[in-house]
Amino acid sequence: IYSRIIFHNPSPRVGLLSIGEEEHKGNDLTRAATPLIKTMPVNFIGNVEGRDIYSGLADVVVCDGFIGNVALKVSEGLVEMMQSMLRESLEATVTRKLGALLSKKAYRDFRKRMDYAEYGGAPLLGVKGVSIICHGRSNANAIKNAVRVAAEFAAGKLNEKIEAELDQSASRVVAQ
């Protein structure tokens, strides 16, 4: 529902994060979740692997909080490492430094797109009101953007829209 509303995707592809595409793979929780998700009114594409998180195969990747947190932290570390390696490479020779100088705005834009602080935080769905979860090391820019995200979430009445869709889904299930 969130993906449909926020990203205007009428039928987001939902994947369950696991260690393999086959349904029998994964831990007990993942294997138990598969049949439950299949009964839901979503475009469930089955299990997806870690490499699929950013591939575009799924629009929504479902996992438990522990695995999700690990995936986010690994992603952050990878971004930081890539930025560091790129910086080292661009500073290695005079020619590269000149090229980097000519491409400075492109690199700045790229870094901004990869910076968690630009997004502020993510909504904690399923609670009354608006709750935005921020990174533990959030800086002033991240907090400013988290407040912006919270205001947009509230102004867009996203909780109410999600609740209404859930109520409609529940009514359809009861009617069947």
Side-chain angles (χ1 to χ4, degrees):
I1 295 169
Y2 180 81
S3 183
R4 281 200 305 269
I5 294 169
I6 295 297
F7 300 113
H8 310 289
N9 185 343
S11 184
R13 295 160 297 170
V14 177
L16 179 63
L17 187 60
S18 187
I19 59 168
E21 295 174 0
E22 302 86 357
E23 282 187 29
H24 68 275
K25 291 199 172 174
N27 61 17
D28 291 342
L29 181 61
T30 302
R31 288 191 309 273
T34 299
L36 296 173
I37 297 173
K38 282 183 170 183
T39 67
M40 298 175 73
V42 298
N43 182 13
F44 182 55
I45 61 170
N47 286 358
V48 295
E49 298 181 35
R51 68 171 180 249
D52 299 319
I53 292 173
Y54 303 106
S55 72
L57 178 67
D59 302 302
V60 176
V61 177
V62 176
C63 62
D64 68 50
F66 178 83
I67 298 300
N69 200 315
V70 169
L72 284 173
K73 303 245 167 118
V74 166
S75 299
E76 290 171 359
L78 180 61
V79 166
E80 290 172 5
M81 182 205 59
M82 288 175 59
Q83 287 175 336
S84 176
M85 290 173 67
L86 180 60
R87 189 177 309 109
E88 284 176 17
S89 185
L90 291 172
E91 294 173 354
T93 67
V94 173
T95 308
R96 289 181 186 182
K97 286 179 184 177
L98 180 59
L101 184 62
L102 294 172
S103 303
K104 192 172 186 174
K105 180 159 177 16
Y107 290 123
R108 190 179 312 121
D109 291 347
F110 179 74
R111 186 173 54 247
K112 193 172 182 177
R113 285 180 64 192
M114 303 297 285
D115 185 1
Y116 76 91
E118 293 299 319
Y119 298 92
L124 178 60
L125 301 176
V127 297
K128 285 281 187 197
V130 177
S131 181
I132 304 298
I133 303 297
C134 302
H135 197 296
R137 64 181 180 160
S138 290
N139 58 22
N141 188 43
I143 299 302
K144 173 195 76 161
N145 284 316
V147 171
R148 175 188 50 78
V149 167
E152 290 170 358
F153 196 91
K157 299 191 181 304
L158 290 171
N159 268 350
E160 292 87 342
K161 291 176 181 176
I162 290 170
E163 284 179 29
E165 281 208 41
L166 287 172
D167 287 345
Q168 288 174 354
S169 291
S171 296
R172 283 192 298 267
V173 169
V174 169
Q176 293 174 351

